[in-house]
Amino acid sequence: MNHQVHQYKNNGYNIVLDVNSGAVHVVDDVVYDVLELYETCSEQEIVSRLKDRYPAQEVQEAYAELTELKEAGELFTEDAYRDYIFDFKNRGTVVKALCLHIAHDCNLACRYCFAEEGEYHGRRALMSFEVGKAALDFLIANSGSRRNLEVDFFGGEPTMNLEVVKRLVAYGREQEKIHNKNFRFTLTTNGVLLNDDIMEFANKEMANVVLSIDGRKETNDRMRPFRNGTGSYDLIVPKFQKFAESRNQENYYVRGTYTHHNPDFSKDVLHLADLGFRQISVEPVVAQETDDYAIREEDLPQLFEQYDLLAKEMIRREKEGRGFQFFHFMIDLEGGPCVAKRLSGCGSGTEYLAVTPWGDLYPCHQFVGNEAFFMGNVTEGVTNTEIRDMFKSCNVYAKEKCKDCFARFYCSGGCAANAYHFHGDIHDAYDIGCALQKKRVECAIMIKAALAQD
Ligand code: SF4
Ligand code: SF4
Ligand code: SF4
């Protein structure tokens, strides 16, 4: 089976997605019901099977409509990318982005912290300017002809090592002229140390800033406390509001995580919108199966409902002129040139690497500290090429679960870290993550369809 159609009902719409072309059709009930039988039955059989519901003529018209769409290349199209991906896999590797762990230390003690409250398995450390400089040199040297290079100042909490961040930005600005590159710097911060000086610096130098907050006060403070147990919400909210405004509500986003403890997370998203934030990302937690806050299968029905509620509310607000962006509903339905990216995902382990304070390379922040995923260091480069090749071959067609998944062009095969944590294999897929991903894609398509109808 190469062609594929995904049909579903959401918010009163009958939606048909032609998976391979990305064409979306909003259809009436009769077309929807005929489509369910179109591939397996003849026109006559369909007329007879639906005779209690629709007159023969209506069924015949629906059948003709579907045949027309098929002939126009908008339904039952073939998958053109299965072969393409193999070329992609054999291409040389260019590094486009680094996540610099500027500080393995943190002034918060978030309960779900991948960094073990910023301490990374007991090894607290700050990156030195020399290591950071070698990392930028490594990126330039391994970026081929790619001009735009991304560098995320990440932690722990990067503002705990601000002087080094500033010096590295200055160094990057100097080097980009020499090598004809363009650095796009990003700062991810928990907001605790945020002040006017940092905001001014970030507004000048950072292409994007990521502001970590989970939503409502009780949600945020349960998972994102200080070491003494008190919550961080009251301290960070006014600073984040000021920061977002100072960037004209652009080129930033507030980023939250939802867990088993707040399965009503749509309230957290809407709370962030009510605080005035226009760019919002709230994502399911990346956890180990044994963590008490990990999302469980029995949470799924409620979580699906939450995405539906959120989608409806977003349509309402958009129509009232007070819309906001929710990153997980922003999918590229029109396609475009970056199919390779869409099929291979976040780029971890290949185009995107994490750098520890002492210059070691890992596939991404979620693998830092796991020696099995150590890839090399910024002075010698990637020496463990086996890991790189493993990540390179990790695209949707290499994964059994993804190959025929209707969401594969939007999902890119999910998160390798979650697959590893739950199945011990990055080529697997984390099933709960998949269920949520598919739901998000359905909602995103519905939102576009709903807004296009006005
Ligand atoms: S702010 Fe980030 S690094 Fe610090 S404890 Fe929270 S999740 Fe960990
Ligand atoms: S939703 Fe799951 S199965 Fe589908 S493409 Fe994504 S990771 Fe693969
Ligand atoms: S593997 Fe997962 S956690 Fe790591 S960068 Fe990719 S999506 Fe993020």
Side-chain angles (χ1 to χ4, degrees):
M1 180 200 67
N2 235 350
H3 57 254
Q4 193 178 3
V5 168
H6 179 66
Q7 59 182 118
Y8 63 98
K9 294 177 188 262
N10 189 308
N11 195 20
Y13 297 95
N14 296 331
I15 294 176
V16 174
L17 167 69
D18 182 56
V19 174
N20 294 324
S21 67
V24 171
H25 311 283
V26 178
V27 300
D28 59 19
D29 287 342
V30 56
V31 172
Y32 190 88
D33 291 344
V34 171
L35 181 60
E36 281 185 323
L37 302 168
Y38 188 90
E39 281 206 279
T40 47
C41 303
S42 70
E43 184 175 358
Q44 259 334 92
E45 277 167 341
I46 300 175
V47 168
S48 131
R49 285 179 63 171
L50 296 180
K51 69 175 185 308
D52 296 340
R53 269 185 277 168
Y54 311 105
Q57 198 195 341
E58 267 186 45
V59 174
Q60 282 156 349
E61 277 168 17
Y63 192 90
E65 200 178 306
L66 291 170
T67 307
E68 222 170 90
L69 286 174
K70 183 177 170 180
E71 281 161 8
E74 292 191 39
L75 208 54
F76 303 116
T77 55
E78 298 295 313
D79 185 346
Y81 297 110
R82 270 172 212 255
D83 300 328
Y84 173 75
I85 198 71
F86 295 113
D87 295 343
F88 172 71
K89 203 169 75 181
N90 290 331
R91 279 193 336 208
T93 312
V94 164
V95 183
K96 298 176 180 171
L98 290 182
C99 171
L100 295 188
H101 291 224
I102 282 292
H104 272 191
D105 197 356
C106 194
N107 36 28
L108 286 185
C110 304
R111 290 180 55 206
Y112 47 53
C113 182
F114 58 90
E116 299 192 331
E117 298 160 10
E119 291 186 27
Y120 287 89
H121 310 279
R123 296 182 73 184
R124 275 194 202 185
L126 299 181
M127 184 180 280
S128 67
F129 172 67
E130 284 66 36
V131 168
K133 183 169 167 286
L136 297 187
D137 293 341
F138 163 83
L139 179 57
I140 291 170
N142 287 276
S143 58
S145 58
R146 166 105 186 172
R147 187 154 185 274
N148 286 326
L149 305 177
E150 321 264 332
V151 174
D152 188 12
F153 293 106
F154 199 74
E157 173 51 38
T159 58
M160 291 177 81
N161 196 7
L162 189 68
E163 275 321 299
V164 169
V165 173
K166 288 184 172 175
R167 286 182 68 194
L168 287 175
V169 167
Y171 178 71
R173 295 288 175 237
E174 182 190 299
Q175 293 299 307
E176 66 186 3
K177 291 192 203 93
I178 302 170
H179 299 278
N180 192 27
K181 301 284 179 185
N182 176 34
F183 277 112
R184 293 188 78 255
F185 293 112
T186 303
L187 180 76
T188 300
T189 179
N190 64 22
V192 171
L193 293 178
L194 202 55
N195 57 25
D196 289 349
D197 172 51
I198 298 176
M199 291 189 215
E200 197 184 311
F201 163 69
N203 288 347
K204 182 161 168 268
E205 298 289 0
M206 297 292 150
N208 201 6
V209 292
V210 182
L211 313 176
S212 306
I213 175 171
D214 283 351
R216 291 165 294 179
K217 181 174 162 66
E218 61 272 25
T219 307
N220 184 79
D221 288 354
R222 181 196 286 128
M223 292 308 277
R224 302 186 62 81
F226 286 94
R227 282 166 199 270
N228 68 9
T230 57
S232 53
Y233 180 96
D234 291 339
L235 176 69
I236 62 173
V237 166
K239 299 202 242 185
F240 283 173
Q241 286 171 314
K242 184 175 174 190
F243 203 5
E245 278 303 315
S246 75
R247 295 176 74 85
N248 300 320
Q249 292 292 337
E250 285 169 357
N251 303 318
Y252 85 98
Y253 59 96
V254 284
R255 185 192 180 285
T257 299
Y258 72 80
T259 72
H260 174 68
H261 298 307
N262 60 318
D264 58 347
F265 75 91
S266 73
K267 295 201 179 94
D268 293 295
V269 178
L270 295 174
H271 179 77
L272 292 170
D274 292 339
L275 287 176
F277 297 113
R278 290 288 162 266
Q279 317 288 341
I280 303 171
S281 173
V282 174
E283 304 168 21
V285 69
V286 178
Q288 310 277 346
E289 205 168 1
T290 44
D291 292 325
D292 64 344
Y293 51 80
I295 291 162
R296 303 175 194 158
E297 206 165 332
E298 64 261 29
D299 298 330
L300 285 176
Q302 188 181 353
L303 297 175
F304 293 162
E305 200 179 79
Q306 290 291 302
Y307 280 117
D308 283 337
L309 280 171
L310 185 59
K312 278 190 215 169
E313 180 61 17
M314 283 180 70
I315 294 169
R316 198 170 70 90
R317 291 188 183 203
E318 187 65 40
K319 287 182 178 169
E320 290 170 4
R322 53 192 192 104
F324 63 91
Q325 304 276 13
F326 178 64
F327 279 43
H328 269 167
F329 285 165
M330 289 163 67
I331 61 171
D332 179 9
L333 292 174
E334 281 79 32
C338 51
V339 172
K341 174 142 181 71
R342 287 198 285 143
L343 292 174
S344 58
C346 62
S348 61
T350 57
E351 300 173 341
Y352 164 82
L353 301 171
V355 184
T356 67
W358 42 96
D360 289 346
L361 298 170
Y362 286 88
C364 86
H365 61 283
Q366 287 285 348
F367 292 97
V368 164
N370 182 337
E371 289 313 310
F373 287 90
F374 168 77
M375 295 180 71
N377 66 49
V378 288
T379 347
E380 286 161 31
V382 174
T383 42
N384 188 349
T385 51
E386 256 174 53
I387 299 280
R388 188 180 60 196
D389 291 345
M390 180 167 87
F391 275 83
K392 209 164 150 186
S393 71
C394 192
N395 60 68
V396 291
Y397 293 114
K399 297 184 182 187
E400 242 355 272
K401 286 178 184 164
C402 306
K403 268 207 289 245
D404 295 317
C405 172
F406 85 83
R408 66 182 179 279
F409 290 111
Y410 312 108
C411 156
S412 323
C415 163
N418 257 335
Y420 180 76
H421 288 156
F422 281 79
H423 300 286
D425 180 3
I426 66 161
H427 289 92
D428 211 317
Y430 162 57
D431 302 289
I432 291 174
C434 291
L436 296 171
Q437 172 71 326
K438 290 176 198 177
K439 182 69 193 175
R440 288 194 297 263
V441 171
E442 289 189 347
C443 288
I445 292 174
M446 185 280 287
I447 292 175
K448 281 220 171 179
L451 293 176
Q453 289 203 334
D454 290 313

